[in-house]
Amino acid sequence: MTLRQTRYGSNASKKENDIFWNRAFEFFKSSEINGLSIGYGKENASGGGIGKIKKLEILRNLKQILDAGTNDPTIFELIGGFQEGVGPDLISDLISNILIEDFISYTQRICAELNIPLSKKSFSKNYEPNELPQNKLTGKPIILVPKEFLRDLPIADSLMDLDWICKKNEQLRLYLNSVIEGSFKKISIKEQKGHIRKAIIDDPIFLREVLEAYKQISPQYYDFVDDPTGETVWYEASKKSSQRISLRFKVISHTNFR
C-alpha cells in the first residue's frame, strides 16, 4: 500500500463499491506485522490491526475530507486527530504496512553487514514470507527499524488528538472554540475529534491551515542518549558490568562427576 494509491483511489471514486473505492479499500492495509516489537502490546510483538467496519469508517471520513478540497497526503498522518478509535498503535500499524518493504530491505542490509544468518519467515498474512533474522527465544522473525523513525509512546490517546493546534496557532484555537460555542479543551476527546472532522470538511481554509500548522512542527524522536524509558541503558550497563567483573570458569571432565 502507498498513501498515493489510497488517496487517488478515494479521490477518483464517485460512490462506494465502485472500482476506485474497492481499489482504495484493497490498498488500505493495517494488518499485524510480526517482528517489529513496537506499540503497546505486552504479550506479543504484533500490532492490533483494524477490522473491516473500522476500515470502512476511516475510508468514508477520508473520502469526505478529500472531497472537501485537499490532495495533500499529509492528511493521512492526522487520522488520529479526527477518527474515533484510532490512536498511536493503529497509526503505527498503518505506517508499518506502508514502509514494510523498506524495513525488510534495511534489515537484510544490516544483517549482511554483520553476517547475521537469514531464513524464510512469515511476518504477516497479507505478505509473502521473506528472508529475515530469527528471534532465538521465540523462533519468530525480527524486522529492524532505524532509530530515527522512533518516538516514545504517548501515555494517553488524548496526546494523539489535535491539541497541538491550540498550542501552535491561536487563531485556530479561537476558531475551534467558536465552532463548538465553548471551550475546545473542556469537551471529551471523542467530541473534540468529531468537531475537528466537521470543521475540516466544512471549511477548506481551516483544513489548509491545519495541514500547514502540522508541517511546521518538528518531529520528536526518542532520545536514545538519555534513554528516559530505559530502552537500551540495560544493555550498555550489562556490557560494562561484564568487563568489570572477571568470572573464571573451571573446566571439569564428565568423568569426575559421581
Side-chain angles (χ1 to χ4, degrees), residues 32-225:
E32 298 181 9
I33 294 181
N34 293 309
L36 287 173
S37 297
I38 56 178
Y40 288 102
K42 294 181 179 180
E43 303 299 330
N44 58 65
S46 305
I50 56 175
K52 181 179 179 180
I53 294 177
K54 177 61 68 175
K55 190 182 296 187
L56 280 172
E57 183 182 343
I58 294 173
L59 199 58
R60 286 166 182 157
N61 285 332
L62 286 171
K63 173 62 175 171
Q64 280 188 294
I65 292 169
L66 292 172
D67 289 344
T70 181
N71 284 318
D72 192 336
T74 305
I75 192 67
F76 282 78
E77 299 179 31
L78 303 180
I79 292 176
F82 57 80
Q83 176 67 56
E84 293 89 349
V86 175
D89 224 16
L90 286 180
I91 292 175
S92 178
D93 285 335
L94 290 170
I95 294 174
S96 298
N97 276 272
I98 293 168
L99 299 177
I100 186 58
E101 293 182 4
D102 297 300
F103 287 159
I104 289 176
S105 295
Y106 174 75
T107 300
Q108 291 172 341
R109 178 174 64 83
I110 296 299
C111 289
E113 293 176 0
L114 299 177
N115 294 319
I116 297 175
L118 304 177
S119 59
K120 188 78 74 171
K121 286 292 187 181
S122 176
F123 57 91
S124 171
K125 63 181 181 180
N126 288 334
Y127 302 93
E128 293 296 324
N130 213 317
E131 295 291 328
L132 293 167
Q134 175 178 300
N135 185 322
K136 293 184 177 181
L137 296 178
T138 65
K140 294 182 178 181
I142 295 174
I143 300 175
L144 303 179
V145 178
K147 66 180 183 180
E148 291 81 6
F149 284 31
L150 303 176
R151 59 165 295 175
D152 196 10
L153 288 170
I155 60 174
D157 191 35
S158 61
L159 296 184
M160 287 304 295
D161 62 27
L162 300 189
D163 183 48
W164 47 266
I165 293 179
C166 301
K167 296 178 180 178
K168 296 292 183 179
N169 191 313
E170 177 68 12
Q171 289 182 329
L172 292 182
R173 183 186 68 80
L174 294 174
Y175 176 82
L176 285 173
N177 287 343
S178 69
V179 168
I180 65 173
E181 299 180 351
S183 174
F184 182 73
K185 290 294 292 180
K186 291 182 180 180
I187 61 177
S188 68
I189 299 302
K190 181 177 180 179
E191 291 175 311
Q192 286 183 12
K193 292 185 177 184
H195 284 297
I196 290 170
R197 183 170 62 250
K198 186 177 187 304
I200 61 181
I201 290 173
D202 292 346
D203 191 338
I205 295 178
F206 173 70
L207 175 56
R208 288 197 295 270
E209 290 179 345
V210 167
L211 293 174
E212 288 303 317
Y214 175 71
K215 291 176 182 178
Q216 292 174 12
I217 298 176
S218 300
Q220 297 179 347
Y221 304 113
Y222 183 76
D223 185 355
F224 281 94
V225 176

Side-chain angles (χ1 to χ4, degrees), residues 232-251:
T232 60
V233 64
W234 61 270
Y235 176 67
E236 297 300 327
S238 63
K239 285 200 304 183
K240 293 178 181 178
S241 295
S242 63
Q243 293 171 356
R244 290 197 309 267
I245 303 173
S246 178
L247 299 178
R248 295 183 179 181
F249 296 92
K250 183 178 180 181
V251 178

